[in-house]
Amino acid sequence: RVDSGVPGLVAERSMYHGGRRCGTDTIGAREPSNTWFLSEGCTDYGFETWLLLDNPGAEKTTATVTFMKEDGTTVPVSVDLKPHSRTSIDASRYVPATSFSTKVTALTPVMCERAMYWNNRSGGTESIGAR
């Protein structure tokens, strides 16, 4: 979490691979939301996808993660989030060997990000969700 009284401050998250020979970054989300959408995810062809949920609130909350597979089926997963904590979800536990998009709905506002890795984690990317 980054707070500032300075207008125009920009926060981002960087991720590096291959001894810092390559990398990627994403902007920080401006505020938490009860609903997030992520258009890309894959657990096939050597891809590894993680959903990262952050509960910035002082109380525990519950989120429903709905994986929407390319064949049109959905896999809903309920996740309890402790206060002031991040929870990492390995998508392959719920949607192995497929491509998918994801919808997250939470009882209270949370933050949401998707990280993907490939080639034995020699490359990767991350992105905040869309609200």
Side-chain angles (χ1 to χ4, degrees), residues 1-2 9-14 25-32 36 111-113 126-129 131:
R1 178 181 176 140
V2 177
L9 179 73
V10 177
E12 69 177 3
R13 178 167 103 75
S14 299
D25 67 347
T26 187
I27 61 170
R30 292 182 58 104
E31 60 190 10
W36 293 96
M111 306 298 277
C112 181
E113 177 184 9
E126 81 281 346
S127 178
I128 61 171
R131 301 181 319 148

Side-chain angles (χ1 to χ4, degrees), residues 5 13 15 21 41 58 68 70 73 75 79 83 86-87 99 104-105 109 112 115 122 130:
R13 178 167 103 75
M15 202 164 69
R21 289 188 310 260
M68 298 173 281
E70 62 187 346
T73 61
V75 178
V79 181
R86 185 183 101 169
T87 300
S99 295
V104 175
T105 55
C112 181
S122 65

